[in-house]
Amino acid sequence: MRYIKSKDIFDKRVLMRVDFNVPIDKGKILDDFRIQRVLPTIQFLREKKAKKIILISHLGQPTSSDQKQLSLEPVAGCLEELLEEKVCFITTLVGEGLKEEIEELPDNSIILLENIRFYKGEMENSKKLAKELAEIADCFVNEAFSASHREAASLCAITEFLPSYSGILLEQELINLDRITQKSEHPLVVVLGGAKIKDKISVIEKFKDKADYILLGGLMANTILKANGFCIGRSLYDEGAFAQAEKISIGK
């Protein structure tokens, strides 16, 4: 793993994948925690005189670019307030003049591109999309730890076309994971929540012999309880994940 702190990024166009998938209601961001977590890396790139910082992120699960409620424009405004400096929000898509528009912006610009999932090729890990994205930058930084389990063009395929590095936040997360998985102290309690069971099964498998307790919450807990014969009343659950949920035995 190569870390961005070891890279000379002076006068380089840096393409950075972040996770700004934050809750938004009527254009207002309800929780900016994920945005704030990336600020140290942006500030680091600024201090090292990166020529341009180009941010890409997803928001939700759009099925087309017409779903304006999933636009990242409100995020650009929030980021601008947090940084107290201009953030250029660009809606132009790759292949439609994006490279030229970025080149016209002044040096030291901070740029946020529109929702990367507006591209069909993103979730297909398209090399074509990744190559087109690579043309607008000199190097790539992954600062989207919470999305890095996905095979997406802006996370995986992009690394085939640009020198790639982990960001400050990703580095910290990996250090913490290593400390927990390799050098954990006991008692060790793992708390997992969320709706997507298929994303969590491997985590449960990883820790089932390491942790003293694994506590589950959210839709995932409801699904596993239901699959194990418990009554959950009217609570929501994912019937499509029963096959996976039945493999997880729980304490009674």
Side-chain angles (χ1 to χ4, degrees):
M1 180 76 65
R2 296 185 297 180
Y3 300 111
I4 191 59
K5 287 181 181 179
S6 63
K7 169 68 176 175
D8 179 11
I9 46 88
F10 174 76
D11 205 34
K12 295 287 192 299
R13 298 168 301 165
V14 180
L15 182 67
M16 185 159 73
R17 177 58 156 96
V18 295
D19 186 358
F20 287 165
N21 187 28
V22 296
I24 300 177
D25 182 36
K26 297 178 182 179
K28 182 179 179 181
I29 293 175
L30 305 180
D31 185 348
D32 64 1
F33 177 76
R34 289 187 174 184
I35 303 174
Q36 291 201 44
R37 291 284 282 162
V38 179
L39 298 184
T41 308
I42 294 176
Q43 291 163 350
F44 170 81
L45 296 175
R46 294 281 281 169
E47 291 170 2
K48 296 301 180 180
K49 308 297 183 185
K51 186 173 185 178
K52 284 167 185 169
I53 303 171
I54 307 164
L55 307 174
I56 48 178
S57 176
H58 73 281
L59 178 63
Q61 300 180 13
T63 55
S64 76
S65 59
D66 296 327
Q67 294 175 270
K68 301 307 179 185
Q69 73 275 18
L70 294 178
S71 170
L72 282 168
E73 187 170 8
V75 175
C78 176
L79 182 60
E80 195 168 84
E81 291 180 7
L82 292 171
L83 290 171
E84 297 184 341
E85 60 181 291
K86 175 69 176 176
V87 173
C88 303
F89 179 64
I90 297 182
T91 58
T92 305
L93 299 180
V94 167
E96 299 178 5
L98 175 62
K99 182 179 180 180
E100 293 74 16
E101 188 169 348
I102 289 176
E103 288 178 348
E104 290 175 1
L105 292 174
D107 289 351
N108 303 316
S109 292
I110 298 176
I111 304 158
L112 176 62
L113 304 186
E114 184 55 283
N115 192 340
I116 190 64
R117 287 191 181 171
F118 281 173
Y119 297 93
K120 181 182 177 182
E122 165 66 358
M123 297 307 291
E124 298 174 351
N125 199 23
S126 165
K127 290 188 178 182
K128 180 178 181 295
L129 174 58
K131 186 175 181 180
E132 290 175 337
L133 284 171
E135 292 177 356
I136 65 176
D138 300 303
C139 65
F140 170 74
V141 176
N142 184 353
E143 197 61 299
F145 173 79
S146 51
S148 291
H149 59 294
R150 302 194 181 282
E151 289 190 29
S154 65
L155 288 161
C156 295
I158 188 70
T159 62
E160 298 182 29
F161 302 100
L162 286 175
S164 303
Y165 306 86
S166 67
I168 295 172
L169 173 59
L170 183 60
E171 180 182 358
Q172 290 174 344
E173 296 282 11
L174 291 175
I175 290 172
N176 288 334
L177 273 180
D178 181 66
R179 179 171 58 84
I180 294 171
T181 57
Q182 304 300 327
K183 309 164 188 176
S184 56
E185 296 181 1
H186 291 270
L188 174 62
V189 179
V190 176
V191 181
L192 293 172
K196 301 171 185 175
I197 294 178
K198 65 179 182 179
D199 293 343
K200 308 296 193 308
I201 291 293
S202 59
V203 179
I204 294 173
E205 290 294 325
K206 179 74 175 180
F207 282 102
K208 71 178 184 179
D209 296 324
K210 294 179 181 291
D212 296 281
Y213 299 96
I214 299 178
L215 307 183
L216 305 177
L219 186 66
M220 178 172 63
N222 294 339
T223 304
I224 293 173
L225 286 169
K226 181 77 172 178
N228 278 268
F230 286 81
C231 177
I232 62 170
R234 296 182 179 179
S235 299
L236 296 175
Y237 64 94
D238 182 1
E239 188 172 355
F242 266 27
Q244 291 174 302
E246 287 175 340
K247 298 177 183 178
I248 302 173
S249 61
I250 58 177
K252 299 183 179 181

